[in-house]
């Protein structure tokens, strides 16, 4: 599975796995949506651009997840498809989604923010990239 | 948690002696059973807190402590600015000033029982709850800043509640020193239409009956009688607080190095109290406290409107409003000397005892009400601050149950619909926009709050006054 959740007692860890850091970032974003609802239920009707810049790749990942949390909160949207481009410690991305439909999405919980706990971006021994952190719900 | 390396102080307190980089010892409040259940991570995290600059006396873990990020949830630590003390965004948490308030409806259980379905539907229809919900109030820039400076006092000024509510809120409903200019545009945008909303997760509005009185004298002074109906509201500073927490956590994690602070865990993100970032955080965090106070005040108003429709004779009065994610400047006794300290309580409730000068006259003889929320379908408790709590942990107590199981495990184990039916069978009505959310908040996913408050009482952190049992729960 290219994304997964990992256990943290009070909160939830999100992890994206991919051939490239970009893929790992995009998969982790799906894991983020999956905390709230089934990503397959989210129609990619509208694209939202997201940009970021950070001192290192881990903080860039933190900023990416926090940007998605902010866009979900202020636009009252959920996202189900992501396209990420990384250039050094810069990020350009688009997130596709639709407004929250409480009956259809049954959103379980709001996400407050991404934490530094278990924040890691690294390449595994099998060559796959991993991007992960715990999010506070 | 393994007791190896812990010194038993008495049957409710354990000490981790100072060693290595720790400036002070760490103290865990728990009996043997709670300690055995407590996560090993709490030990690691509370030890880490004890290494932060300027910490005074001890780093404390409350009986409900569990693994947080940086500080454990249920962590208390005080810092002295004169000793290079720090303020930590990780020591407050994302949901700034998350807290609980309890309203005394003056109604009896039988009266409310007769109208329970109608009341549940009306509350669910009137109190915005859950993901994507918005409030009735839309704040423009000027109103936002006024709210951030005024807190509950701002809300009362706009007609949300009564002036007499204010003395029954910590800080008299308005946190001094709030600086809306330190709150980012992003944080304000996230809050634009979220005032007067419950949020989601473990937040709720609950109609409860007083099931048992443990201390008749204090219960009498608090206006609690067995069989009375109360309403408890548990929520925080909504998107604004979350965004302030997010931004300062990042900034402080990056800045700590500049200030020469070694962080054993980045999540302890902090800065000297006197530094520019420390001061900006305090200004923003205090604005976050006001946001939470305003939020609970507006929800109180909406609750009163509902009660007025169904029970025209009821006038729900505020018992008290407590916050359990804060950093506050307070005077505490250190080796017989009063010192101004910045006390972080993350998942911990302030518990000022009798005679504390900041308490209103009504609570001078009893100590402040300490409201401990349970989880959906379980008991909640009213305690009172004690005189000995000052020496125990700078007047601090526990805050709630704490999860025993992750959301994922919970969802695998319980079905939302079945839970709602089961609780209805026990006379507890659940209203929630999300059945998945209900499954994740199953009562069995939380620790036993009763054990936690028993230990808080025995440890002298706060005194047990009354037990509340749920009748109706509105979940976000």
């Amino acid at each position: 599975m290219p994304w997964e959740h990992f256990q943290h007692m009070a909160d939830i860890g999100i992890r994206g796995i991919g051939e490239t850091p970009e893929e790992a970032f995009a998969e982790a974003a799906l894991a983020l949506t999956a905390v709230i609802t089934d990503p397959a239920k989210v129609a990619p009707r509208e694209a939202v651009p997201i940009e970021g810049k950070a001192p290192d790749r881990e903080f860039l990942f933190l900023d990416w997840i926090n940007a998605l949390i902010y866009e979900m909160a202020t636009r009252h949207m959920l996202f189900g498809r992501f396209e990420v481009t990384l250039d050094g410690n810069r990020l350009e991305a688009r997130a596709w989604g639709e407004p929250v439909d409480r009956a259809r999405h049954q959103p379980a919980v709001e996400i407050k923010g991404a934490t530094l706990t278990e924040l890691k971006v690294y390449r595994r021994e099998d060559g796959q990239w991993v991007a992960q952190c715990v999010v506070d719900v | 948690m393994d007791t190896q390396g812990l010194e038993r102080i008495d049957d409710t307190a354990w000490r981790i002696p100072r060693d290595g980089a720790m400036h002070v010892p760490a103290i865990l409040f728990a009996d043997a059973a709670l300690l055995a259940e407590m996560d090993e991570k709490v030990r690691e995290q509370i030890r880490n807190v004890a290494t932060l600059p300027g910490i005074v006396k001890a780093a404390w873990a409350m009986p409900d402590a569990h693994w947080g990020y940086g500080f454990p949830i249920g962590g208390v630590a005080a810092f002295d600015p004169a000793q290079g003390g720090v303020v930590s965004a990780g020591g407050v948490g994302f949901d700034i000033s998350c807290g609980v308030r309890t309203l005394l409806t003056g109604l009896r259980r039988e009266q409310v029982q007769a109208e329970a379905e109608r009341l549940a539907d009306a509350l669910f229809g009137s109190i915005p709850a859950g993901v994507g919900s918005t409030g009735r109030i839309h704040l423009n820039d000027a109103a936002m800043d006024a709210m951030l400076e005024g807190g509950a006092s701002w809300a009362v000024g706009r007609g949300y509640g009564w002036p007499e509510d204010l003395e029954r809120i910590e800080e008299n409903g308005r946190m001094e020193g709030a600086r809306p200019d330190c709150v980012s545009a992003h944080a304000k945008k996230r809050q634009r239409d979220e005032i007067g909303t419950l949020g989601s997760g473990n937040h709720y509005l609950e109609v409860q009956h007083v099931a048992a009185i443990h201390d008749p004298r204090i219960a009498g002074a608090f206006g609690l009688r067995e069989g009375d109906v109360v309403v408890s509201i548990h929520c925080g500073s909504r998107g604004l607080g979350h965004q302030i927490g997010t931004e300062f956590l990042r900034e402080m994690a990056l800045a700590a190095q500049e200030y020469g602070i070694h962080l054993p865990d980045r999540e302890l993100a902090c800065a000297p109290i006197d530094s520019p970032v420390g001061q900006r955080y305090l200004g923003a965090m205090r604005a976050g406290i006001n946001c939470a106070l305003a939020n609970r005040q507006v929800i109180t108003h909406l609750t009163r409107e509902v009660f007025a429709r169904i029970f025209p004779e009821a006038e729900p009065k505020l018992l008290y409003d407590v916050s359990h994610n804060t950093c506050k400047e307070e005077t505490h006794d250190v080796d017989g000397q009063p010192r101004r300290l910045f006390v972080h309580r993350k998942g911990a409730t302030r518990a000022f005892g009798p005679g504390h000068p900041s308490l209103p006259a009504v609570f001078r003889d009893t100590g402040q009400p300490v409201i401990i929320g349970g989880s959906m379908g379980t008991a909640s408790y009213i305690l009172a601050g004690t005189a000995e709590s000052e020496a125990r942990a700078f007047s601090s107590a526990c805050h709630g149950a704490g999860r025993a199981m992750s959301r994922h495990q919970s969802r695998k184990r319980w079905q939302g619909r079945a839970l709602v039916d089961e609780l209805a069978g026990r006379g507890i009505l659940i209203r929630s926009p999300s059945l998945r959310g209900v499954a994740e908040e199953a009562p069995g996913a939380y620790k036993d709050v009763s054990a936690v408050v028993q230990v808080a009482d025995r440890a002298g952190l706060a005194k047990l006054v009354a037990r509340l049992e749920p009748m109706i729960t509105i979940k976000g």
Side-chain angles (χ1 to χ4, degrees), chain B residues 126 136 300-310:
Chain B
S126 296
R136 229 190 252 183
T300 298
H301 173 77
L302 300 176
T303 305
R304 284 174 175 156
E305 283 186 340
V306 170
F307 271 81
R309 288 209 305 271
I310 299 176

Side-chain angles (χ1 to χ4, degrees), chain A residues 7 63 102 110 116-117 136, chain B residues 69 129 200 250 267 406 435:
Chain A
Q7 301 295 311
D63 290 353
R102 304 218 297 179
E110 258 174 350
L116 302 164
T117 300
D136 189 11
Chain B
Y69 31 90
S200 65
R250 180 188 195 277
E267 202 84 51
S406 74
L435 286 172

Side-chain angles (χ1 to χ4, degrees), chain A residues 7-8 34-35 37 54 58 63 66 69-70 76 102 106-112 114-117 119 136-137, chain B residues 67 69 94 129-131 134 186 189-190 200-201 238 242 246 250 266-267 404-407 433-437:
Chain A
Q7 301 295 311
H8 184 279
V35 173
T37 190
E58 288 186 345
D63 290 353
N66 277 326
I69 292 168
Y70 173 78
H76 305 297
R102 304 218 297 179
Q106 285 284 303
V109 72
E110 258 174 350
I111 300 176
K112 294 172 188 163
T115 77
L116 302 164
T117 300
L119 171 63
D136 189 11
V137 295
Chain B
W67 182 18
Y69 31 90
F94 283 90
V131 179
T134 54
H186 268 47
K189 188 170 172 193
R190 217 166 142 178
S200 65
R238 310 291 301 110
H242 308 162
T246 297
R250 180 188 195 277
R266 280 189 293 193
E267 202 84 51
M405 194 182 286
S406 74
R407 290 179 174 277
S434 171
L435 286 172
R436 176 175 156 180

Side-chain angles (χ1 to χ4, degrees), chain B residues 34 37 63-64 204 371-375 377-381 383 398-402 443 446-456 464 467-469:
Chain B
L34 282 178
E37 277 178 27
D64 51 340
Y204 58 76
I371 308 170
I372 307 301
S375 49
T378 66
S380 295
Y381 289 85
L383 289 80
C398 54
H399 86 303
Y446 282 83
K447 286 185 202 155
D448 178 7
V449 72
S450 306
V452 166
V453 296
Q454 298 285 351
V455 169
L464 199 45
R467 187 177 92 239
L468 313 174
E469 292 283 353

